[in-house]
Amino acid sequence: MANHLSSKKRIRQSEKRRVHNRYYSRTTRNAVKALRELSDKKEAETMLPTVAAMLDKLAKKNIIHKSKAANLKSKLAKHVNHLEA
């Protein structure tokens, strides 16, 4: 266990951040999964901007890497474009 006051505070902060990051990354992963499972093009086109925004926010806050966010957005856009109307 930590002895210094600052290291105890660091443990509290990192745990709080870990829980926060897990929540938002899990929420985004669920949204990506839901978008991939859609077969209706109109519905997918309306959902794509919100999922892309979620990915951008995760990348901006360094929860995921910016290249990973870009790759996911690209794959999702490709998926939506190939859906039948």
Side-chain angles (χ1 to χ4, degrees):
M1 184 60 202
N3 292 323
H4 294 283
L5 211 59
S6 61
S7 55
K8 289 179 182 177
K9 180 180 178 181
R10 175 65 60 200
I11 290 169
R12 289 195 310 268
Q13 285 177 329
S14 60
E15 177 62 19
K16 190 174 180 181
R17 286 189 186 116
R18 184 186 72 83
V19 171
H20 181 266
N21 291 344
R22 274 182 58 129
Y23 171 76
Y24 283 103
S25 58
R26 171 52 65 190
T27 305
T28 305
R29 278 200 304 264
N30 287 340
V32 167
K33 196 180 293 186
L35 180 57
R36 281 196 182 126
E37 291 172 355
L38 288 178
S39 57
D40 182 34
K41 186 167 184 154
K42 280 212 180 272
E43 195 176 340
E45 283 176 340
T46 58
M47 192 175 174
L48 181 64
T50 57
V51 174
M54 292 169 89
L55 289 167
D56 285 335
K57 285 178 189 170
L58 288 184
K60 184 179 181 183
K61 295 181 180 180
N62 289 323
I63 296 173
I64 61 172
H65 195 270
K66 63 178 183 175
S67 297
K68 181 180 176 80
N71 288 336
L72 284 170
K73 284 170 35 181
S74 172
K75 287 177 186 175
L76 290 172
K78 196 180 284 189
H79 170 71
V80 170
N81 288 334
H82 282 70
L83 287 175
E84 301 273 330

